[in-house]
């Protein structure tokens, strides 16, 4: 989760002439719900006392629309947006081998789990064959993990 230090929340009624700024922190985080994307969250003082929590969930399929809006600004906004995206993309590309390694490990682990399940659920006449398969799969996965 990150705090958006240069973002501001404004509030006003539907018929208000102006929106008034709220002095609250805006955070952005990966959305852990079933919707892939990010969420923006903040809290506002309630009119009758207490606090109202607000969360805006942005689906990952809306990212292109957001990026497009960032690029439509004047020359300066467009330049700032492009530089920020280029810098972030370069940082993330440098991290990609780590993510690839994690995905490969998870994939190999799932192959071993499938072989273990096949062995556990095999009818008795097939147990020896499934046991041999399980041992071979574990050996292959161990060999791949050592090489990676």
């Amino acid at each position: 989760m990150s705090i958006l230090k240069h973002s501001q929340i404004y509030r006003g009624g539907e018929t208000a002439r102006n929106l008034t700024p709220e002095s609250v922190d805006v955070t952005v985080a990966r959305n852990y719900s079933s919707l892939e994307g990010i969420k923006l969250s903040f809290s506002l003082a309630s009119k009758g006392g207490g606090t109202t929590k607000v969360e805006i969930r942005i689906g990952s399929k809306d990212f292109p629309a957001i990026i497009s809006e960032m690029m439509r600004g004047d020359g300066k906004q467009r330049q700032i947006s492009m530089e920020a995206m280029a810098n972030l993309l370069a940082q993330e590309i440098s991290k990609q081998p780590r993510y690839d390694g994690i995905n490969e490990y998870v994939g190999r682990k799932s192959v071993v789990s499938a072989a273990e399940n096949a062995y556990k659920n095999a009818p008795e006449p097939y147990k020896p064959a499934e046991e041999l398969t399980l041992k071979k799969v574990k050996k292959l996965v161990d060999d791949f993990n050592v090489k990676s």
Side-chain angles (χ1 to χ4, degrees):
M1 178 171 50
S2 301
I3 294 177
L4 302 178
K5 297 176 184 173
H6 307 283
S7 297
Q8 183 69 50
I9 299 297
Y10 291 85
R11 173 179 23 197
E14 185 69 28
T15 59
R17 297 184 106 196
N18 298 310
L19 298 175
T20 55
E22 296 283 332
S23 57
V24 297
D25 287 334
V26 180
T27 61
V28 62
R30 193 175 90 212
N31 190 6
Y32 293 99
S33 72
S34 61
L35 173 73
E36 290 187 10
I38 60 172
K39 66 180 177 181
L40 303 172
S41 55
F42 51 91
S43 298
L44 298 172
S46 296
K47 192 173 186 179
T51 302
T52 299
K53 290 187 176 188
V54 179
E55 190 172 281
I56 302 167
R57 296 179 181 186
I58 301 170
S60 57
K61 290 184 179 178
D62 287 331
F63 291 176
I66 293 169
I67 292 169
S68 178
E69 285 302 316
M70 292 169 63
M71 303 306 282
R72 287 187 191 176
D74 61 17
K76 184 177 180 182
Q77 178 179 327
R78 181 180 172 83
Q79 187 65 32
I80 291 169
S81 297
M82 287 184 5
E83 286 176 13
M85 284 185 258
N87 289 336
L88 247 129
L89 190 55
Q91 290 172 19
E92 291 304 317
I93 287 171
S94 72
K95 296 176 190 176
Q96 194 58 42
R98 181 174 150 252
Y99 287 105
D100 291 344
I102 291 168
N103 288 334
E104 289 169 5
Y105 175 79
V106 168
R108 290 180 193 139
K109 196 172 175 181
S110 72
V111 170
V112 171
S113 292
E116 288 171 340
N117 287 336
Y119 171 69
K120 288 177 189 173
N121 297 324
E124 198 52 49
Y126 298 103
K127 283 272 191 210
E130 292 296 344
E131 182 178 21
L132 178 62
T133 302
L134 176 58
K135 287 179 182 178
K136 292 291 184 184
V137 166
K138 283 183 174 180
K139 172 85 171 96
L140 282 170
V141 168
D142 285 346
D143 290 348
F144 275 119
N145 287 339
V146 169
K147 291 178 186 175
S148 297

